[in-house]
Amino acid sequence: MASHRRPKQPGQRFTGVLTVTAAAAVAMSTQSASADPLPDPNKKGVQAQIDRLYESATQATEKYNGAKEKAEGLQKQVKVFQEEAARKQGELNGLRERLGTVAAGQYRSGGLDPSLQLLLSQDPDSYLERAAALDRVGDRQSALLTEFLSRQRSLQQQRREATAKLRDLDSTRQELGRRKTEIQGKLREAQRLLNTLTARERARIAAEEDRANRAGARVELGDETGASPRAAAAFSAAQSRVGLPYVWGATGPNSFDCSGLTSWAFRQAGISLPRTSQAQAGAGTRINSLGDLRPGDLIIMRTDLSHVGFYAGNGQILHSPKPGAQVRYESIARSGMPFMWGVRIG
């Protein structure tokens, strides 16, 4: 039976993380727990509301991650389109200079061909699209003009595509801002609800979360065989992150959200996964039964596929579960999230 201990991590890695423990510590520093009244039975649902807000925030985080991944992809596409447009503009300028040289020679010899005159004075499309017009110029001029028109049309198409991608990028960035505001609003509301509790109640919540983190840093995983060498390498990388904090939108190496942990771990094994849990749900071979999972397989949780972790063996999931928590092992049965299916990578 294998035993896994939480690795020792520098304290500064936890800076800036919204944790229930920190909130409780602040509350207890300003109010004596011994002075608290008895727990108010009307507040027993506050913890459930906070948990729902944290769950909702993690779901919104996956949508934020998807929008961010899309924005990054669009930014790369826009750059390619703009660079290609610049290259084509350079080629077009070169052709224009060659046509200008031909026109200058004709002018000096006593006349300027009508087709070149039109080209140099206005948009030649309407003129050049009529094949009959090309019999007014020689073969060399005809080929040059035809190439110019083709390059001009290609450049115009490139610019239209770049403009469309820029509009899409702007829309996606606006969505990113909305998702970020949504997540921050849910976390603020969770903190507000937490502040309505007494110091004693906050201390109890903090103690429970601390126990969960400590218990999740050391578990018996059994001796099940890994799913594949690469999955085993990714799982090992994730194990090295036990004890590090959940931060929405984080992809490591010192903080993670759920899909941030799995995508980071597989990168260490040389495999690129999609960024979101929903996309990771379709990234490999689906395993429908919990009994068929092997250590290193991905576990997809919740009906909207908004949570992902690693199957760790012995009925355990290794994951970054929620705000205020750390990367930890947890019983799948007691995680509070329905299992949808597993995914085998590699």
Side-chain angles (χ1 to χ4, degrees):
M1 303 288 280
S3 176
H4 297 270
R5 298 179 181 271
R6 166 182 166 182
K8 202 171 195 180
Q9 303 294 343
Q12 61 265 31
R13 290 179 175 179
F14 298 89
T15 302
V17 181
L18 175 63
T19 65
V20 176
T21 304
V26 171
M28 293 186 72
S29 69
T30 58
Q31 179 179 4
S32 169
S34 62
D36 287 340
L38 292 174
D40 183 351
N42 294 325
K43 291 186 175 180
K44 64 182 181 181
V46 171
Q47 177 63 61
Q49 293 178 58
I50 292 171
D51 289 342
R52 283 195 295 270
L53 282 165
Y54 282 160
E55 179 178 343
S56 183
T58 62
Q59 292 170 321
T61 294
E62 287 306 287
K63 293 176 182 177
Y64 171 89
N65 291 338
K68 184 178 180 183
E69 183 177 44
K70 180 180 178 182
E72 290 171 350
L74 285 169
Q75 183 63 62
K76 291 177 182 177
Q77 292 177 37
V78 166
K79 183 179 179 182
V80 169
F81 277 122
Q82 289 176 333
E83 289 176 348
E84 183 67 10
R87 183 185 67 79
K88 289 182 176 181
Q89 182 66 67
E91 293 174 350
L92 198 63
N93 290 342
L95 280 172
R96 192 184 298 276
E97 290 177 4
R98 289 169 61 190
L99 286 166
T101 300
V102 171
Q106 288 189 357
Y107 183 78
R108 285 193 298 270
S109 64
L112 185 62
D113 189 279
S115 62
L116 291 176
Q117 188 175 9
L118 277 172
L119 173 63
L120 296 173
S121 63
Q122 58 184 318
D123 184 352
D125 277 9
S126 60
Y127 182 83
L128 294 175
E129 282 176 352
R130 296 193 300 271
L134 293 179
D135 62 10
R136 298 189 183 184
V137 296
D139 290 342
R140 179 170 173 271
Q141 293 176 15
S142 174
L144 201 58
L145 287 168
T146 301
E147 183 181 1
F148 181 91
L149 180 58
S150 174
R151 296 286 180 90
Q152 186 179 60
R153 287 172 173 166
S154 178
L155 175 60
Q156 290 168 347
Q157 177 63 27
Q158 197 79 27
R159 285 174 171 167
R160 282 194 294 269
E161 290 176 354
T163 299
K165 292 294 181 184
L166 280 169
R167 283 197 298 267
D168 200 4
L169 177 60
D170 181 64
S171 175
T172 303
R173 283 174 170 166
Q174 290 179 33
E175 182 186 356
L176 264 180
R178 290 193 297 271
R179 297 295 182 194
K180 182 176 181 179
T181 299
E182 178 185 2
I183 294 164
Q184 291 174 333
K186 292 179 187 300
L187 295 179
R188 280 195 300 269
E189 177 63 12
Q191 184 65 58
R192 186 193 68 77
L193 287 171
L194 189 65
N195 291 340
T196 67
L197 301 174
T198 65
R200 179 180 296 171
E201 290 165 333
R202 283 187 287 241
R204 176 185 57 78
I205 293 171
E208 289 176 355
E209 191 62 43
D210 187 56
R211 278 195 298 273
N213 285 330
R214 283 187 284 107
R218 178 185 173 89
V219 292
E220 296 296 331
L221 299 179
D223 57 359
E224 297 178 53
T225 304
S228 71
R230 282 194 164 184
F235 178 50
S236 178
Q239 288 178 299
S240 74
R241 304 292 92 183
V242 168
L244 294 180
Y246 176 101
V247 174
W248 68 268
T251 58
N254 299 325
S255 59
F256 303 88
D257 60 25
C258 69
S259 57
L261 175 66
T262 51
S263 58
W264 175 87
F266 269 101
R267 275 201 309 276
Q268 312 316 300
I271 295 178
S272 177
L273 284 188
R275 175 62 179 90
T276 68
S277 58
Q278 290 92 344
Q280 290 178 18
T285 302
R286 183 181 296 196
I287 310 295
N288 291 317
S289 171
L290 270 171
D292 293 332
L293 292 175
R294 299 320 239 176
D297 285 336
L298 296 178
I299 300 181
I300 308 301
M301 311 288 278
R302 297 197 186 114
T303 55
D304 64 352
L305 316 181
S306 62
H307 190 71
V308 63
F310 282 97
Y311 180 67
N314 197 28
Q316 301 285 320
I317 182 174
L318 172 60
H319 63 160
S320 184
K322 63 181 180 179
Q326 299 168 2
V327 176
R328 66 194 186 198
Y329 300 96
E330 200 164 18
S331 166
I332 297 170
R334 293 198 294 269
S335 68
M337 293 179 281
F339 166 79
M340 301 310 295
W341 62 77
V343 177
R344 185 158 295 164
I345 307 291

